[in-house]
Amino acid sequence: MADGGARARRALLTDGVRAYGLIVAMWVRSTMTYRASFVMTTLASFATTAFDFVAILLMFSHIDALGGYSLAEIAVLYGVTGTAFGLCDLVLGSVERLGRRVRDGTLDTLLVRPVPVLAQIAADRFALRRVGRVAQGVLVLGYGLLTVDVAWTPLKALMVPAMVLTGAVIFGAVFVVGAAFQFWAQDAAQVQNAFTYGGNTLLQYPPTVFTKDLVRGVTFVVPLAFVNWLPALYVLGRPYPVEVPQWLAFAPPLVAVAAGWASGIAWRAGLRAYRSTGS
């Protein structure tokens, strides 16, 4: 029985990944039909997100440090969270439109297809232009890593790509939980954005500029601090502003797994609670 259930879950996951890939490929082909439009929208995405770092550069034209952190250190924080969030937004950003589908009843058309609903929603209207956000984060991260004053070790070097990957998973879990909440709230996209886009903006700055209560909240309640603050401060040799065990700097992979598991539970609960529009 247990083996049968595990095989069914693996088959469902395989079907979901295959369906996601097919839908994404369809949208990519559609996007590349108008290559000039794709290039312009990608550059616009790059420029729009770049303004956040331009604001930081403007601040550092008047100050030497922000919250005790240099520009290079903040560039590392910014680059890690920007790249991780960009990857997540590219892959899962479309789930924020779930509330609209619940309200207008178009979610019902996805339920009758023999494909996982989450895969269909995540791939729907796949926006390849979002690679501009990813590229901008990678460039800032590269600048930060080249200019920051760090005594590099193999472990610290390995933690950089690990932060990006686990951070993308953690952001993805927040996206899915926020989408699941919309099964009940229906018009909660802005609430979801407060934790996703808002969380990304929060993590671009060092934790020392925020109150300790807020730092505790994004460490122990919504675990966004594991995207970059905790592991990055270990890499930078900086103390965490609230008292936590040092080994938490190495916990992001475990947190990512736990967050993914919790988001799966939330999604299934929301999907079971859905009762259509009644029309």
Side-chain angles (χ1 to χ4, degrees):
M1 293 292 290
D3 290 343
R7 283 196 297 270
R9 286 191 293 271
R10 285 195 296 270
L12 185 64
L13 178 61
T14 301
D15 290 343
V17 172
R18 183 184 299 114
Y20 178 88
L22 291 172
I23 298 171
V24 165
M26 177 191 70
W27 283 106
V28 169
R29 286 196 300 271
S30 175
T31 299
M32 298 309 292
T33 302
Y34 306 96
R35 295 179 185 272
S37 175
F38 165 68
V39 171
M40 288 187 290
T41 55
T42 301
L43 290 176
S45 175
F46 180 95
T48 301
T49 55
F51 281 126
D52 291 337
F53 192 66
V54 169
I56 294 174
L57 292 175
L58 290 174
M59 281 191 289
F60 271 89
S61 67
H62 300 284
I63 60 177
D64 295 323
L66 179 63
Y69 285 70
S70 67
L71 176 60
E73 290 173 319
I74 292 179
V76 172
L77 296 177
Y78 180 105
V80 169
T81 186
T83 306
F85 182 80
L87 290 171
C88 173
D89 192 37
L90 177 67
V91 175
L92 287 174
S94 295
V95 300
E96 67 182 5
R97 289 195 290 268
L98 176 65
R100 189 181 311 164
R101 283 189 172 276
V102 172
R103 292 194 304 274
D104 62 23
T106 57
L107 181 63
D108 293 1
T109 62
L110 306 184
L111 294 173
V112 299
R113 298 172 183 170
V115 176
V117 177
L118 181 57
Q120 297 181 68
I121 294 175
D124 183 43
R125 299 185 180 277
F126 182 82
L128 189 59
R129 67 178 184 277
R130 289 172 177 161
V131 297
R133 177 189 289 274
V134 179
Q136 192 264 339
V138 170
L139 286 176
V140 175
L141 178 58
Y143 162 76
L145 294 175
L146 290 173
T147 57
V148 73
D149 183 17
V150 169
W152 289 103
T153 65
L155 177 59
K156 288 184 177 182
L158 181 62
M159 288 183 72
V160 174
M163 279 190 283
V164 172
L165 294 177
T166 57
V169 174
I170 293 170
F171 271 127
V174 177
F175 263 103
V176 172
V177 170
F181 179 64
Q182 294 185 54
F183 280 114
W184 293 280
Q186 298 185 13
D187 192 18
Q190 295 308 316
V191 176
Q192 176 181 341
N193 291 344
F195 291 96
T196 52
Y197 292 90
N200 176 48
T201 301
L202 176 79
L203 297 177
Q204 292 172 359
Y205 296 89
T208 50
V209 304
F210 302 105
T211 65
K212 290 189 176 180
D213 286 340
L214 178 60
V215 175
R216 291 188 185 98
V218 296
T219 303
F220 301 111
V221 181
V222 182
L224 293 175
F226 291 89
V227 172
N228 67 342
W229 277 356
L230 279 160
L233 296 196
Y234 169 81
V235 172
L236 298 174
R238 292 281 191 167
Y240 202 58
V242 298
E243 189 172 342
V244 294
Q246 189 178 22
W247 59 264
L248 283 181
F250 306 96
L254 297 177
V255 173
V257 171
W261 173 77
S263 67
I265 292 177
W267 176 261
R268 289 190 292 272
L271 197 57
R272 286 195 298 268
Y274 177 65
R275 293 294 180 267
S276 186
T277 60
S279 58

